[in-house]
Amino acid sequence: MGWEALRQWGDDVARIEPLTGGVANDVWSVRVGGRLAVARLGARSDADLAWETGLMQHLDREGLTVPLPIPATGGRLFAGGLVVMTYLEGGPPESPADWRRVAGTLREVHRLTQGRPQRPGWRSSTDLLHTETGTKVDLGAMPAEGVARCRAAWARLAGRPTCVVHGDPNPRNVRMTADRVALIDWDESHVDVPDLDLVLPGNAAALDDAAHDIAAQASAAWEAAVCWDDDYSVKRLAEVRPV
């Protein structure tokens, strides 16, 4: 169906310009009903998008600022892999104090999503101790020695409580104003150990040395596995200590 699905949001809907949204999706600013919005077209299943849009609605009800799905004229929140979301103003974090606010927001996400089911088709880092595939992860495509290093890093997280993690809290995915922190681009969100979200600039989450080392190693291993084998994933794998 592709971008033809956008017609389901009304006769006056229009694409404006492409936005940076990672390699997995085609992301554009759009105008819907006279207001600016963001449309993301990808190959995710209806079950996957139902999980993500349901998460956004839940976090919004709990008082967090996230991109809310805008229903199509028939009431659906997605169609043919397309989701249309509210546009959020703001800039990236620029100071240690900003990053501490981001850490606080991430921890609130974690608190509000304990016990939530896994995103359909996804695996957590500790699930990958016992299986090889899940969504974008295929450990069979990685060198065996690299898989062993990743699993050793993830094993240090075994037995910890889980919740929804954002999955990619880099500066491009944060929209800050004076009175709120908004997290955007939840395409990588899934259920996992919360510390994977908390490896932030300047250790803004104030993890102790041991906790930060465990989180940093597990996070590097995750990013290597989920992106394998582009240049960034090779760089991240090099940061995971040998077994």
Side-chain angles (χ1 to χ4, degrees):
M1 185 179 296
W3 282 105
E4 293 179 4
L6 193 58
R7 296 175 185 171
Q8 299 184 40
W9 274 262
D11 294 335
D12 66 339
V13 65
R15 282 195 285 170
I16 301 172
E17 61 181 353
L19 304 173
T20 54
V23 297
N25 300 289
D26 193 8
V27 184
W28 283 67
S29 60
V30 297
R31 195 164 298 282
V32 178
R35 59 176 169 164
L36 188 63
V38 175
R40 189 188 80 203
L41 179 65
R44 294 292 175 83
S45 69
D46 283 0
D48 183 287
L49 295 176
W51 184 95
E52 183 183 343
T53 54
L55 173 66
M56 296 301 93
Q57 292 173 320
H58 168 67
L59 294 176
D60 175 73
R61 286 193 298 267
E62 295 294 336
L64 295 186
T65 304
V66 295
L68 271 178
I70 298 172
T73 53
R76 294 190 65 192
L77 299 181
F78 47 86
L82 180 67
V83 185
V84 179
M85 300 161 283
T86 53
Y87 176 82
L88 297 174
E89 299 280 357
E94 296 179 342
S95 68
D98 286 348
W99 278 108
R100 287 192 292 272
R101 290 174 62 199
V102 174
T105 300
L106 287 165
R107 283 195 162 111
E108 190 68 0
V109 170
H110 302 158
R111 183 184 70 81
L112 293 169
T113 58
Q114 295 172 17
R116 205 162 182 90
Q118 182 61 279
R119 190 171 191 152
W122 282 71
R123 299 288 184 270
S124 70
S125 54
T126 52
D127 288 337
L128 291 171
L129 296 174
H130 311 292
T131 189
E132 288 204 340
T133 60
T135 311
K136 296 195 295 183
V137 176
D138 180 6
L139 297 183
M142 296 180 70
E145 184 269 343
V147 173
R149 284 155 58 191
C150 289
R151 283 178 163 164
W154 297 329
R156 300 168 77 191
L157 301 175
R160 297 193 184 194
T162 60
C163 58
V164 172
V165 296
H166 178 276
D168 191 17
N170 72 72
R172 296 184 304 277
N173 291 336
V174 182
R175 295 286 183 271
M176 303 189 70
T177 66
D179 57 358
R180 59 102 175 116
V181 175
L183 298 171
I184 65 170
D185 192 359
W186 292 77
D187 189 53
E188 299 290 325
S189 60
H190 62 285
V191 170
D192 216 315
V193 176
D195 283 16
L196 290 173
D197 265 350
L198 300 177
V199 185
L200 301 172
N203 191 21
L207 301 178
D208 65 38
D209 289 347
H212 189 274
D213 180 70
I214 291 170
Q217 286 286 291
S219 178
W222 177 265
E223 292 189 357
V226 83
C227 299
W228 193 262
D229 60 351
D230 62 15
D231 290 344
Y232 180 72
S233 66
V234 172
K235 174 179 176 291
R236 292 296 271 156
L237 182 59
E239 297 171 20
V240 182
R241 287 193 296 272
V243 177

